Amino acid sequence: MTKEIRNTQENMITVDLRSDTVTQPTPEMRKAMAEAEVGDDVFGEDPTVNRLQEMAAKITGKEAALFTASGTMANLSCLLAHCGRGDEMILGDQSHIFYYEQGGSAAVGGIHPRPIPNQPDGKLALEDVEAAIRPDNVHFPRSRLIVLENTHNRCYGMPLDAAYMAAIGELAQHYNLKLHVDGARIFNAALSLGVEASELLQQVDSVSFCLSKGLAAPLGSLICGSADFINRAHRARKVLGGGMRQAGVVAAAGIVALNEMIPRLAEDHANAQILARGLAGIKGIKVESDRVKTNIVYLKIAHDKLSEKKSAIDFADELQVRGVKILPTGPYQLRAVTHYGISTDDIDYALNVTDMVLNSH
Ligand code: TLP
């Protein structure tokens, strides 16, 4: 054990593994933000936002890009740009858009979701997608859009490979549907698969990706697609209240994120491996280590380890008192995410605390 376990507030070490969204901006980001050249972005006059958008389009291999305040806003702007009221989108039943975004597409856009099962690796089976596409019939909504998530958050952060992405792209084209990718962690996927992000996105009509997760920027996401699509997404972003003014202050951190933070995601992936193997070795914990390919680890606690009144939430609370934060995601399930600011020593500490809380009484 490299760090002493403390259970008082005093000198508390905190290892926060709840999400890669908790990352702090780097010193270079803070400097870039302080010095950013800005303008009114609603007039298209913020040079730093414009630069970030050009970089994002280039890195994803798309014609144009748009900066948004969050991943949720990016996804919803894309869905609104692709679909009209009553149109249907086919997406995974474990996808972030279906699970964690308040059903915004239905609430705001009147878009009908058609959830189909996510496979354990985060993919949608091609035959399931094909079977869900509606024929032209007065009874049915119109199928308009297929949505994928890469990496897949609720499926262990698994990356979806280029061949699969292309196969779904071809299916979409064949049926004249559009394809959107929630690529909040697309650079984790690309790194894990050893390909460029643009290779994963060749057949995709739109992608959203986040600057504020493993890339450590304080906020912001980008939407990338054709120039015509970005014009429509721009209108959608505005009605969602996402027309920002001197947004270059935060876009500047995004530029640093894209320039400097992508290769270091490898460190998070390596730490996730250490964490998964360590957790799997703790009595009472089950981890499907072979599914850990990026920076997300799910763990299940054996039922007999949690007394009847206790849940994963109580377990997380006990860890937190000792300075380790992980996220309960089900009655017996929790999620730990590695990220910038988490070292191998921190992983060690978290493993020791977890073992102690679970097995020493
Ligand atoms: N995910 C968050 C929580 O909402 C669960 C997290 O901690 O993982 N797409 C994907 C795949 C995401 O994981 C998230 C955030 C979003 C979209 C939304 O991004 P934000 O939080 O910027 O709206």
Tab-separated table of all heavy atoms in Angstrom, residues 19 70-72 75 96 101 149 153 182 184-185 213 335, ligand 1:
chain	number	residue	atom	x	y	z
A	19	SER	N	-16.185	9.294	-12.387
A	19	SER	CA	-16.301	9.566	-13.828
A	19	SER	C	-15.065	10.316	-14.301
A	19	SER	O	-14.382	10.976	-13.502
A	19	SER	CB	-17.540	10.436	-14.086
A	19	SER	OG	-17.663	10.690	-15.468
A	70	SER	N	-22.393	21.013	-23.898
A	70	SER	CA	-22.310	19.705	-23.246
A	70	SER	C	-22.550	18.589	-24.262
A	70	SER	O	-23.027	18.841	-25.380
A	70	SER	CB	-23.374	19.596	-22.146
A	70	SER	OG	-24.662	19.572	-22.751
A	71	GLY	N	-22.293	17.363	-23.818
A	71	GLY	CA	-22.567	16.197	-24.661
A	71	GLY	C	-24.059	16.028	-24.891
A	71	GLY	O	-24.488	15.654	-25.992
A	72	THR	N	-24.832	16.285	-23.870
A	72	THR	CA	-26.293	16.159	-23.992
A	72	THR	C	-26.820	17.149	-25.020
A	72	THR	O	-27.657	16.801	-25.867
A	72	THR	CB	-26.940	16.389	-22.606
A	72	THR	OG1	-26.377	15.447	-21.680
A	72	THR	CG2	-28.446	16.214	-22.656
A	75	ASN	N	-25.765	15.918	-28.546
A	75	ASN	CA	-26.601	14.821	-29.049
A	75	ASN	C	-27.984	15.330	-29.452
A	75	ASN	O	-28.479	15.013	-30.532
A	75	ASN	CB	-26.747	13.727	-27.979
A	75	ASN	CG	-25.529	12.817	-27.917
A	75	ASN	OD1	-24.827	12.638	-28.911
A	75	ASN	ND2	-25.273	12.244	-26.759
A	96	HIS	N	-26.533	6.019	-23.848
A	96	HIS	CA	-26.634	7.209	-22.989
A	96	HIS	C	-27.834	8.041	-23.395
A	96	HIS	O	-28.576	8.549	-22.552
A	96	HIS	CB	-25.339	8.032	-23.083
A	96	HIS	CG	-25.189	9.040	-21.993
A	96	HIS	ND1	-25.788	10.277	-22.038
A	96	HIS	CD2	-24.549	8.989	-20.800
A	96	HIS	CE1	-25.488	10.950	-20.932
A	96	HIS	NE2	-24.739	10.196	-20.165
A	101	GLU	N	-30.498	10.834	-20.815
A	101	GLU	CA	-30.657	12.207	-21.317
A	101	GLU	C	-32.104	12.678	-21.229
A	101	GLU	O	-32.605	13.427	-22.073
A	101	GLU	CB	-30.051	12.332	-22.734
A	101	GLU	CG	-28.548	12.083	-22.665
A	101	GLU	CD	-27.768	12.247	-23.956
A	101	GLU	OE1	-28.293	12.812	-24.923
A	101	GLU	OE2	-26.604	11.785	-23.976
A	149	GLU	N	-23.184	4.296	-30.056
A	149	GLU	CA	-22.375	4.971	-29.023
A	149	GLU	C	-20.997	4.319	-29.001
A	149	GLU	O	-20.886	3.100	-28.877
A	149	GLU	CB	-23.081	4.803	-27.675
A	149	GLU	CG	-22.425	5.571	-26.549
A	149	GLU	CD	-23.249	5.450	-25.275
A	149	GLU	OE1	-24.489	5.612	-25.320
A	149	GLU	OE2	-22.644	5.173	-24.221
A	153	ASN	N	-20.617	3.525	-22.985
A	153	ASN	CA	-20.498	3.766	-21.548
A	153	ASN	C	-21.043	2.609	-20.710
A	153	ASN	O	-20.323	2.006	-19.915
A	153	ASN	CB	-21.245	5.089	-21.253
A	153	ASN	CG	-21.124	5.529	-19.811
A	153	ASN	OD1	-20.782	4.736	-18.947
A	153	ASN	ND2	-21.419	6.783	-19.558
A	182	ASP	N	-22.889	8.869	-30.898
A	182	ASP	CA	-22.527	9.531	-29.650
A	182	ASP	C	-21.105	9.072	-29.358
A	182	ASP	O	-20.878	7.982	-28.833
A	182	ASP	CB	-23.507	9.109	-28.543
A	182	ASP	CG	-23.117	9.672	-27.178
A	182	ASP	OD1	-22.009	10.223	-27.049
A	182	ASP	OD2	-23.928	9.545	-26.237
A	184	ALA	N	-18.906	10.471	-27.337
A	184	ALA	CA	-18.411	11.200	-26.154
A	184	ALA	C	-16.950	10.818	-25.879
A	184	ALA	O	-16.132	11.664	-25.552
A	184	ALA	CB	-19.287	10.897	-24.946
A	185	ARG	N	-16.659	9.504	-26.019
A	185	ARG	CA	-15.289	9.019	-25.760
A	185	ARG	C	-14.698	8.385	-27.027
A	185	ARG	O	-14.073	7.329	-26.978
A	185	ARG	CB	-15.310	8.014	-24.598
A	185	ARG	CG	-15.794	8.624	-23.282
A	185	ARG	CD	-15.761	7.647	-22.119
A	185	ARG	NE	-16.202	8.278	-20.875
A	185	ARG	CZ	-17.474	8.413	-20.500
A	185	ARG	NH1	-18.452	7.950	-21.287
A	185	ARG	NH2	-17.784	9.020	-19.366
A	213	LYS	N	-14.409	15.077	-20.795
A	213	LYS	CA	-14.264	13.784	-20.102
A	213	LYS	C	-12.763	13.492	-19.989
A	213	LYS	O	-12.069	14.260	-19.341
A	213	LYS	CB	-15.068	12.722	-20.848
A	213	LYS	CG	-16.548	13.132	-20.880
A	213	LYS	CD	-17.509	12.053	-21.141
A	213	LYS	CE	-18.915	12.484	-20.751
A	213	LYS	NZ	-19.410	13.728	-21.389
A	335	ARG	N	-19.516	1.622	-10.851
A	335	ARG	CA	-18.636	1.923	-11.977
A	335	ARG	C	-17.451	2.744	-11.498
A	335	ARG	O	-17.614	3.670	-10.706
A	335	ARG	CB	-19.422	2.730	-13.033
A	335	ARG	CG	-18.630	2.970	-14.309
A	335	ARG	CD	-19.315	3.966	-15.231
A	335	ARG	NE	-19.161	5.329	-14.715
A	335	ARG	CZ	-19.472	6.430	-15.408
A	335	ARG	NH1	-20.000	6.328	-16.615
A	335	ARG	NH2	-19.279	7.631	-14.876
B	1	TLP	N1	-21.869	10.603	-19.128
B	1	TLP	C1	-21.726	10.809	-17.716
B	1	TLP	C2	-23.051	10.576	-16.992
B	1	TLP	O1	-24.085	11.235	-17.615
B	1	TLP	C3	-23.429	9.127	-16.859
B	1	TLP	C4	-20.663	9.874	-17.178
B	1	TLP	O2	-20.231	10.101	-16.047
B	1	TLP	O3	-20.265	8.936	-17.887
B	1	TLP	N2	-22.738	10.506	-24.049
B	1	TLP	C5	-22.069	9.647	-23.255
B	1	TLP	C6	-21.660	8.331	-23.790
B	1	TLP	C7	-21.765	10.011	-21.924
B	1	TLP	O4	-21.118	9.151	-21.168
B	1	TLP	C8	-22.172	11.284	-21.448
B	1	TLP	C9	-21.911	11.690	-20.025
B	1	TLP	C10	-22.862	12.140	-22.321
B	1	TLP	C11	-23.130	11.711	-23.612
B	1	TLP	C12	-23.390	13.492	-21.883
B	1	TLP	O5	-22.370	14.406	-21.691
B	1	TLP	P1	-22.637	15.711	-20.780
B	1	TLP	O6	-22.535	15.238	-19.357
B	1	TLP	O7	-21.545	16.638	-21.187
B	1	TLP	O8	-23.973	16.244	-21.117
